[in-house]
């Protein structure tokens, strides 16, 4: 008897399909390598410029605080942006109709997009951090930096869910959807205490800052490094056990926002198919 290859079924089939979306997005990124280079250089220069504030103040702890904010925001914002604008990219490529009509579960599609976004954001983050430590010394242990990386990865779940929610904007509006995701991203930068303490915000914005995963991720990392928002040393630094409340909140963000994002996206997809909004315009 001749052996025949059987088609993949069940979870294996879904994993292969998710990997196909990762591979597709990787090829799209390579296709626009010049744009990737431009935005990576911009991230590096922007982070280095912010870091120079601490160097000019001759305050190593403030410098470390600014580096932390720049690196974490580089990771989380790129993760959020890649997921939120994935549909906009589909429109530009003219593949959105094929993707939405393909016999692939939407969860599988979005898992593949999120996995690539996570890998891509992590690589960008490592590049930014690598350049920054070439420009100045980092007053932190390797173990502390690894623990901060763990916090960032946990925080990424919440930003994945938020990215899925904002991915509906390009579905609903061909012309202005991508711009709307940029506005949301800018608002998170403002309210999360990335470069300035949340306490300097108006009181009503301080309440809104509790809705950002980055707020808790930055708080946890600053505790691990032993610094406060102003760059002042407050303690020797603690391990992950000391930031379990923040990690718990970050996990809760992921458990709430990811299913919510999938639900919102499915509703937007149904609406787009019913109203004929999938067609690429321009």
């Amino acid at each position: 008897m001749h052996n025949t290859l059987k088609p993949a079924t069940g979870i294996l089939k879904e994993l292969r399909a998710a990997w196909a979306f990762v591979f597709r997005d990787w090829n799209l990124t390579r296709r626009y390598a010049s744009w990737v280079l431009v935005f990576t250089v911009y991230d590096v220069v922007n982070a280095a410029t912010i870091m120079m504030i601490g160097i000019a103040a001759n305050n190593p702890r403030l410098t470390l605080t600014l580096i932390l904010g720049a690196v974490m925001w580089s990771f989380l914002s790129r993760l959020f942006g890649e997921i939120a604008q994935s549909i906009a990219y589909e429109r530009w490529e003219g593949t959105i109709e094929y993707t939405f009509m393909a016999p692939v579960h939407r969860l599988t599609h979005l898992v593949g997009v999120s996995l690539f976004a996570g890998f891509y954001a992590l690589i960008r983050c490592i590049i930014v951090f690598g350049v920054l430590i070439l420009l100045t010394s980092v007053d932190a242990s390797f173990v502390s930096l690894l623990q901060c990386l763990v916090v960032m990865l946990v925080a990424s779940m919440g930003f994945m869910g938020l990215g899925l929610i904002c991915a509906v904007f390009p579905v609903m509006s061909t012309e202005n959807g991508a711009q709307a995701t940029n506005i949301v991203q800018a608002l998170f930068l403002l309210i999360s205490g990335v470069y300035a303490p949340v306490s300097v915000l108006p009181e009503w914005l301080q309440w809104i800052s509790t809705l950002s995963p980055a707020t808790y991720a930055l708080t946890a990392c600053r505790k691990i490094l032993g610094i406060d928002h102003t760059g002042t040393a407050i303690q020797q630094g603690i391990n992950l056990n000391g930031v379990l409340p923040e990690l718990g909140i970050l996990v809760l963000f992921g458990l709430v926002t990811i299913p919510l994002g999938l639900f919102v996206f499915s509703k937007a997809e149904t609406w787009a198919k019913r109203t004929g909004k999938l067609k690429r315009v321009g």
Side-chain angles (χ1 to χ4, degrees):
M1 292 180 64
H2 295 287
N3 292 327
T4 58
L5 293 176
K6 296 182 179 180
T9 58
I11 187 65
L12 180 59
K13 178 181 178 181
E14 299 301 324
L15 288 175
R16 287 182 176 178
W19 175 251
F21 282 105
V22 174
F23 189 71
R24 182 203 63 174
D25 287 351
W26 162 246
N27 282 316
L28 284 175
T29 302
R30 290 198 306 165
R31 178 177 176 181
Y32 296 102
S34 58
W35 282 104
V36 173
L37 177 62
V38 168
F39 289 122
T40 302
V41 170
Y42 176 82
D43 279 356
V44 170
V45 173
N46 182 65
T49 302
I50 294 169
M51 179 189 68
M52 293 301 170
I53 297 173
I55 295 177
N58 195 27
N59 187 334
R61 305 303 284 178
L62 176 58
T63 302
L64 180 59
T65 302
L66 295 174
I67 290 176
L68 171 64
V71 172
M72 178 166 286
W73 185 247
S74 174
F75 173 73
L76 294 178
S77 65
R78 184 48 47 197
L79 173 68
F80 173 86
E82 286 297 310
I83 296 175
Q85 298 199 34
S86 59
I87 300 303
Y89 300 153
E90 295 261 16
R91 286 195 184 276
W92 297 337
E93 290 294 316
T95 60
I96 185 170
E97 292 180 87
Y98 304 112
T99 299
F100 275 36
M101 297 300 178
V104 177
H105 196 283
R106 191 58 54 226
L107 175 61
T108 303
H109 165 216
L110 296 176
V111 165
V113 170
S114 299
L115 285 175
F116 174 79
F119 290 136
Y120 178 58
L122 183 60
I123 292 173
R124 288 273 290 266
C125 171
I126 292 173
I127 293 173
V128 171
F129 182 71
V131 173
L132 293 184
I133 62 175
L134 290 177
L135 299 177
T136 187
S137 59
V138 176
D139 184 19
S141 68
F142 181 70
V143 173
S144 295
L145 295 176
L146 284 180
Q147 290 176 338
C148 288
L149 178 61
V150 172
V151 173
M152 291 170 58
L153 293 177
V154 176
S156 68
M157 295 190 299
F159 265 76
M160 283 182 181
L162 293 171
L164 292 175
I165 294 173
C166 291
V168 304
F169 294 148
V171 175
M172 301 177 68
S173 175
T174 306
E175 296 80 10
N176 302 315
Q179 290 85 340
T181 62
N182 291 329
I183 293 174
V184 174
Q185 185 172 320
L187 289 175
F188 278 118
L189 174 62
L190 172 65
I191 67 175
S192 300
V194 177
Y195 302 121
V198 173
S199 58
V200 305
L201 296 173
E203 186 174 353
W204 62 276
L205 276 180
Q206 293 183 38
W207 282 100
I208 297 177
S209 70
T210 61
L211 301 178
S212 170
T215 301
Y216 303 97
L218 286 164
T219 299
C221 288
R222 285 165 178 154
K223 287 182 178 180
I224 290 172
L225 297 175
I227 52 180
D228 66 5
H229 291 289
T230 62
T232 304
I234 57 175
Q235 53 191 5
Q236 185 63 31
I238 58 181
N239 55 28
L240 290 175
N241 290 331
V243 295
L244 287 179
E246 287 82 6
L247 291 176
I249 293 174
L250 291 173
V251 171
L252 182 61
F253 263 105
L255 293 177
V256 172
T257 60
I258 290 178
L260 179 61
L262 292 171
F263 174 77
V264 171
F265 194 94
S266 66
K267 293 298 182 181
E269 177 185 355
T270 301
W271 174 82
K273 289 179 177 178
R274 187 175 65 249
T275 57
K277 295 290 186 180
L278 294 184
K279 184 178 180 181
R280 179 185 177 189
V281 179

